[in-house]
């Protein structure tokens, strides 16, 4: 049960962290509060990775190729320590997490796979249903409030990504420039779901299409059609 809770926390954070962060930033005018929700999913992975380390230290068996991940993490940590010692005042370690977190996520997943009582079908179906339902909710909010009003006025998303996430792109009519798609001189707002970014929405959906297609055969047609509608509404070519 605990691992299922972790799973749904991760799904919720991955789908909702930008919207929640923008809301916190708007409500409390606090970059600190907003950034915590962005980093919360990393904390969940760290907890799961600690679980893996404890299991590994007590004799958990891993495959031969997975040892290379362990060697990589050790080498990266040692290199980070050396860089910090050689350049203590240059923030040389500010982005080290980019290089280690993919491996940490892998071993966190390995730990969950070994300890959980659910399989990949449950994981994919949980994500697919959550992704579709939340997208439908935000589509309804777009209709009721207007997408520009929702993200521009209520969530003040442009301020959030400039102040908290450190983006430097232009702001158009109070929204991040990526909200708009221009075709033959006509601009219109893309669907961004709960992500605040059409590319993130499309990437998250596209990665789930193939596993959902094969693992959920009874609902294959419905899920693929819904995913296609959501991804198509983002009007992004980059996803393909």
């Amino acid at each position: 049960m605990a691992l299922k809770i972790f799973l749904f926390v991760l799904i919720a954070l991955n789908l909702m962290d930008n919207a929640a962060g923008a809301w916190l930033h708007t409500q409390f005018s606090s970059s600190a509060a907003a950034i915590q929700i962005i980093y919360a999913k990393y904390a969940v992975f760290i907890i799961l990775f600690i679980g893996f380390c404890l299991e590994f230290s007590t004799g958990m068996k891993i495959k031969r190729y997975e040892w290379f991940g362990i060697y990589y993490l050790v080498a990266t940590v040692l290199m980070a320590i050396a860089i910090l010692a050689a350049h203590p005042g240059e923030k040389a370690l500010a982005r080290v997490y980019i290089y280690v977190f993919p491996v940490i996520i892998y071993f966190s997943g390995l730990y969950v796979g070994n300890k959980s009582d659910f399989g990949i079908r449950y994981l994919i179906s949980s994500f697919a249903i959550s992704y579709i339902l939340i997208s439908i909710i935000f589509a309804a909010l777009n209709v009721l409030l207007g997408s520009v009003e929702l993200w521009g006025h209520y969530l003040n998303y442009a301020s959030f990504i400039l102040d908290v996430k450190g983006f430097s792109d232009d702001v158009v009519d109070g929204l991040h420039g990526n909200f708009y798609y221009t075709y033959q001189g006509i601009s219109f707002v893309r669907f961004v779901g709960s992500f605040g970014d059409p590319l993130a929405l499309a990437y998250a959906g596209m990665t789930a299409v193939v596993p959902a297609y094969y693992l959920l055969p009874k609902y294959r047609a419905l899920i693929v059609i819904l995913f296609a509608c959501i991804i198509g509404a983002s009007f992004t070519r980059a996803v393909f």
Side-chain angles (χ1 to χ4, degrees):
M1 178 58 71
L3 288 176
K4 284 186 177 180
I5 293 174
F6 273 109
L7 171 64
F8 280 103
V9 168
L10 275 175
I11 290 174
L13 287 172
N14 275 283
L15 294 178
M16 292 290 297
D17 59 350
N18 277 329
W23 184 83
L24 287 170
H25 185 249
T26 300
Q27 294 298 313
F28 302 104
S29 300
S30 170
S31 297
I35 203 67
Q36 296 308 314
I37 195 70
I38 299 297
Y39 288 143
K41 57 189 172 189
Y42 295 111
V44 175
F45 279 118
I46 289 294
I47 292 171
L48 294 174
F49 181 69
I50 291 172
F52 163 78
C53 291
L54 294 174
E55 286 290 312
F56 182 72
S57 66
T58 58
M60 176 183 175
K61 301 296 182 183
I62 63 174
K63 295 179 174 61
R64 183 181 301 176
Y65 65 83
E66 290 169 337
W67 277 99
F68 289 99
I70 301 293
Y71 300 149
Y72 172 82
L73 286 177
V74 172
T76 304
V77 170
L78 292 176
M79 188 180 300
I81 293 172
I83 293 172
L84 183 61
H87 306 280
E90 296 187 14
K91 297 182 180 179
L93 302 183
R95 301 184 71 80
V96 167
Y97 76 93
I98 292 176
Y99 302 101
V100 300
F101 246 92
V103 183
I104 288 175
I105 290 171
Y106 175 86
F107 284 118
S108 299
L110 186 65
Y111 171 73
V112 172
N114 286 341
K115 302 295 288 185
S116 67
D117 58 354
F118 58 85
I120 189 70
R121 186 189 301 272
Y122 180 84
L123 187 153
I124 292 298
S125 60
S126 298
F127 177 82
I129 292 170
S130 300
Y131 176 86
I132 291 170
L133 287 179
I134 291 176
S135 295
I136 291 173
I137 290 172
F138 272 80
L141 289 174
N142 286 355
V143 173
L144 293 173
L145 302 175
S147 56
V148 173
E149 288 75 12
L150 173 62
W151 289 97
H153 176 68
Y154 291 99
L155 296 177
N156 195 14
Y157 189 66
S159 177
F160 166 70
I161 59 174
L162 292 173
D163 297 343
V164 178
K165 304 194 76 173
F167 287 16
S168 58
D169 292 356
D170 293 334
V171 173
V172 181
D173 295 335
L175 292 174
H176 189 250
N178 217 25
F179 271 78
Y180 295 93
Y181 180 81
T182 302
Y183 179 72
Q184 294 186 345
I186 300 174
S187 294
F188 52 90
V189 179
R190 297 162 158 178
F191 181 55
V192 297
S194 59
F195 291 86
D197 187 295
L199 274 71
L201 170 78
Y203 293 157
M206 205 66 174
T207 55
V209 168
V210 173
Y213 180 87
Y214 284 104
L215 293 172
L216 306 171
K218 288 184 179 180
Y219 309 100
R220 177 180 294 168
L222 176 62
I223 288 176
V224 170
I225 289 172
L226 289 173
F227 268 76
C229 291
I230 295 168
I231 294 169
S234 70
F235 285 97
T236 176
R237 297 162 297 177
V239 68
F240 297 107

